[in-house]
Structures are given as C-alpha cells and as structure tokens.
Amino acid sequence: MGLVWGIMDKNTKGRKMTNIEKFDLYAGKILATLYEEFPVRKNLRYLSDFGDVDGRIFASTLEWLIDSDFIECRNQTMDDDLVIGARLTLKGLELLKQKPKTLQKSFGESLKEYAKKGIDAGITTTVNDILSSSFAFVSKLMG
C-alpha cells in the first residue's frame, strides 16, 4: 500500500520544474505520507524514500512545513537526509481533514489517492487548495 513517487509531472512535458512546482509536489508527498501514517510518527529519508528529488528543495520544503506548523519532528539532520519522528501537527491534521465543497473527499484523502496513483498534477493542485485554506483559516482566527 505504498505511495508512488516520481520527479517529473506529466504536465511539465519534460521541462525542468521550477522551485515552486517542486515545493508544491514535495509538500503534497510529505503531507500524504504523514496523513497515511497518522498518528504514528514516521522517520523520513527524503533522498531514498521519495525517489528522484532535488535534495535542497525537498529539505527546504520540509523545513518550511515544520516552521509553518504543519508538521513536527523530533530531529532533522540535513547531512544524512533523515527526519526522525515526523508527524502532522493539529493544524496540519485539521487542514487535511477539511472537505471542501468542490471535492468529494477530504484534502488528506485526495492527496493519498493522487500519491498512490502517481498523479503529480492532482497533488500540486490539492496542495495549493490546502495552502489557500490555511491562509483563510488563520485569517479567521486573527480577524
């Protein structure tokens, strides 16, 4: 029941992906993996567990997800590409549990489905929806 990972999105048609495209894709893959494992913590080896990735962008994506309180980890070591004890935070889980009117499934279930089928375009679209929802969610709390 593993997830399918690949670097090239079919929509890029062989062109090199931009950093933001990689970020969206990697964030989706990380969130899908942790959603599938929740509530169990998971050790992530991003260069070996996620296939052919840009290590610098992947590590930066992980760092951003941690800094933005979507995920937590017990330890992150950049030298050996290991994240120890990664898990969704309450904020991350709440966002992935949301079921927008436009989808029949929650964001988390949609990410899992796209990841299992290797549909990178679906992953990136869902991540954009999640981040938009996150902004609206935080704005409501602050407003």
Side-chain angles (χ1 to χ4, degrees):
M1 194 175 193
L3 304 177
V4 178
W5 306 126
I7 184 69
M8 294 305 288
D9 180 358
K10 287 138 189 82
N11 290 336
T12 62
K13 297 183 176 150
R15 71 173 171 78
K16 185 178 177 185
M17 293 175 71
T18 65
N19 286 358
I20 194 68
E21 288 171 330
K22 290 176 187 178
F23 167 83
D24 289 342
L25 182 60
Y26 300 163
K29 290 177 177 189
I30 293 163
L31 293 171
T33 298
L34 297 179
Y35 184 79
E36 184 172 55
E37 295 292 324
F38 193 83
V40 177
R41 290 185 180 272
K42 180 161 178 63
N43 293 342
L44 302 174
R45 286 196 173 278
Y46 46 91
L47 294 178
S48 56
D49 291 346
F50 292 92
D52 184 16
V53 298
D54 179 329
R56 184 177 63 89
I57 301 298
F58 200 95
S60 296
T61 300
L62 270 167
E63 186 177 344
W64 187 88
L65 288 169
I66 292 165
D67 290 347
S68 300
D69 200 32
F70 286 100
I71 66 174
E72 62 183 9
C73 69
R74 294 205 168 133
N75 190 17
Q76 180 179 4
T77 58
M78 300 298 239
D79 292 340
D80 61 359
D81 80 63
L82 177 64
V83 175
I84 299 171
R87 180 172 60 192
L88 293 172
T89 61
L90 177 60
K91 175 183 172 180
L93 182 62
E94 285 176 339
L95 286 169
L96 292 179
K97 287 282 198 178
Q98 285 186 26
K99 185 177 173 186
K101 295 175 187 170
T102 57
L103 296 175
Q104 294 180 349
K105 299 177 182 176
S106 70
F107 285 136
E109 289 300 320
S110 296
L111 275 179
K112 263 181 29 180
E113 184 177 315
Y114 291 135
K116 284 182 182 179
K117 293 179 180 178
I119 303 173
D120 292 350
I123 293 170
T124 57
T125 299
T126 304
V127 166
N128 283 309
D129 292 343
I130 290 168
L131 295 177
S132 295
S133 291
S134 174
F135 179 74
F137 180 72
V138 170
S139 294
K140 278 185 190 178
L141 292 176
M142 300 180 108

